[in-house]
Amino acid sequence: MIRRALLLLLLAPALHAEDAPVTMPEGDAERGRLVFGQCRTCHYPEREMGHNNGPSLHRIFGRVAGKQAGFDYYSDTFREAKFVWTPQLLYLWLEDPLAMFPGTTMMSRGVPDPQQRADLVAYLKRASVRGSQEPMQ
Ligand code: HEC
């Protein structure tokens, strides 16, 4: 179950999600590449592939949620969101996407397994760095 108090902490603009007490296992990008298979139906992390049924996940960490140009299908929940995607927040969200954002239009049951989620986060970091000179957070 997602701990609501922790989520409120993470979503509070005054607080840095990086400082929040989220324990995330060490992730393995290569294993995460396989976990990402279920997301690839709707998302690409490669910049040149752009948006699909879901928005691009290229360099998703550090972006404000729901604001990518060229993706016209955000829910109101994401369109109005004011938080920034961090590895910790994505890790928490994907435990049960509808529990955190009931209004989301993302039809995914998420990734309930903590290790698989951490692997997925590691993969998204790596996939975003490739082909880009800009440093990741
Ligand atoms: C059936 C299609 C589908 C699947 C499968 C899916 N997504 Fe999504 N995703 C979406 C849609 C649609 C949105 C926009 C949601 C909204 O606006 O409520 C979204 C939004 C997102 C966002 C926010 C992007 C932004 O610009 O704020 C992230 C991050 C994300 N998805 C990650 C994932 C990951 C990781 C997986 C695999 C576990 C996954 N998604 C599986 C369709 C999908």
Side-chain angles (χ1 to χ4, degrees), residues 79-113:
R79 219 185 293 274
E80 291 159 15
K82 297 204 168 42
F83 65 87
V84 169
W85 284 118
T86 62
Q88 288 82 356
L89 191 51
L90 187 67
Y91 173 80
L92 284 177
W93 180 44
L94 289 179
E95 181 177 351
D96 186 352
L98 284 168
M100 195 195 266
F101 301 123
T104 185
T105 47
M106 177 161 124
M107 292 298 121
S108 163
R109 58 184 279 273
V111 182
D113 182 79

Side-chain angles (χ1 to χ4, degrees), residues 38-39 42-43 65-66 68 74-75 78 85 94 104-107:
Q38 65 175 284
C39 319
C42 300
H43 292 286
Q68 296 194 60
Y74 283 116
S75 60
F78 271 50
W85 284 118
L94 289 179
T104 185
T105 47
M106 177 161 124
M107 292 298 121

